[in-house]
Amino acid sequence: MPPAKRQRTSGPTTAAQGTLNFRSSKSSAAAGASPYFKPSKPVSTPATKPEVIDVTSDESQSQSQQPPAIDISDPAARVFQTAEPEEELDEDAELEANAEKEIEKKALALPESKIKAYWAAKEKERKAPRVHQKELSMREKMLREFDMSSRYGPSMGIARLARWKRAYRLEMQPPIEILAVLLKEEKSANDTKDKAAGVRIQRSVMDDLIMSSRMKAEIEA
């Protein structure tokens, strides 16, 4: 027996799919008919006036703040004046000169016994006797010992008296006995009018050695 034929039943008809009309939306947006987009209103800014600066008032205020000028002719105003640097240097030089004069007076008044006691104490400090100085006097030994002492600065190219005064100004405490020997030897040279002795007493032993070596080289040449 042949199978029965199935009858196809048609369901409810579906509505046709709608299409979007882009032309109408663009035209409506361009025309401003869309309810979702509202045109913004232009904001108007108030006009500001330029600020005017009064320059004359600032100048008058700055002039009023400046200190008044000091009249130098007024005796009361001279109190504010400071001393000149040259005047201060002159005062310092005068004080140093007075101090040197006082120490020179003390050195000239120093007795010979004090000088001998000073040198005797120096000789006791040595562990061995001095060599090649038997023919030298006590004062010459003292001056040579002063020349070779580096405690008071270099001794080459400077007179002994100037070196002692330099050490005194720098507070190196040079012995007053050396100053006494230098001043007394210089005084005796001036009294006898022996200029060579006066020059020789002021020249250090190092300068003597350099001068003698130069003279020897010139003679041999």
Side-chain angles (χ1 to χ4, degrees), residues 87 101 113:
E87 295 179 359
K101 289 180 181 179
S113 59

Side-chain angles (χ1 to χ4, degrees), residues 52-213:
V52 179
I53 301 174
D54 191 2
V55 183
T56 57
S57 61
D58 295 339
E59 291 180 355
S60 60
Q61 185 176 2
S62 61
Q63 290 178 0
S64 61
Q65 291 178 358
Q66 291 180 357
I70 299 174
D71 188 7
I72 301 176
S73 60
D74 187 6
R78 295 178 184 176
V79 181
F80 299 97
Q81 296 179 359
T82 57
E84 295 294 333
E86 295 181 358
E87 295 179 359
E88 294 179 359
L89 292 175
D90 293 341
E91 291 178 0
D92 295 340
E94 186 177 356
L95 291 175
E96 290 180 0
N98 293 334
E100 289 181 1
K101 289 180 181 179
E102 291 295 329
I103 195 69
E104 286 179 1
K105 288 181 181 179
K106 290 181 181 180
L108 287 172
L110 196 69
E112 192 68 20
S113 59
K114 293 283 186 181
I115 298 175
K116 291 181 179 180
Y118 164 79
W119 186 244
K122 280 286 185 180
E123 289 289 337
K124 287 181 181 180
E125 294 177 357
R126 294 183 60 87
K127 296 181 179 180
R130 299 177 187 272
V131 184
H132 307 300
Q133 290 189 359
K134 294 180 181 180
E135 69 280 0
L136 300 178
S137 64
M138 182 194 68
R139 291 186 176 183
E140 184 64 26
K141 291 179 183 179
M142 291 174 61
L143 294 177
R144 289 194 178 192
E145 198 264 345
F146 175 68
D147 293 339
M148 301 305 295
S149 178
S150 61
R151 178 181 177 182
Y152 310 110
S155 61
M156 294 177 60
I158 186 172
R160 285 170 171 169
L161 184 59
R163 181 169 175 255
W164 192 97
K165 290 182 178 181
R166 181 186 63 185
Y168 178 76
R169 286 193 299 268
L170 297 176
E171 298 181 357
M172 294 180 178
Q173 298 179 355
I176 192 174
E177 291 81 5
I178 300 297
L179 179 62
V181 170
L182 289 172
L183 294 177
K184 289 181 179 182
E185 290 290 334
E186 186 180 18
K187 185 177 181 301
S188 63
N190 293 334
D191 293 341
T192 57
K193 297 181 180 180
D194 190 356
K195 294 182 180 180
V199 173
R200 186 172 58 254
I201 201 66
Q202 294 296 334
R203 191 168 56 236
S204 67
V205 65
M206 297 300 297
D207 288 337
D208 280 339
L209 292 174
I210 292 173
M211 187 178 295
S212 61
S213 62

Side-chain angles (χ1 to χ4, degrees), residues 21-40:
N21 190 1
F22 292 98
R23 292 182 179 179
S24 62
S25 63
K26 286 182 180 179
S27 60
S28 62
S34 175
Y36 302 102
F37 299 97
K38 295 183 179 180
S40 59

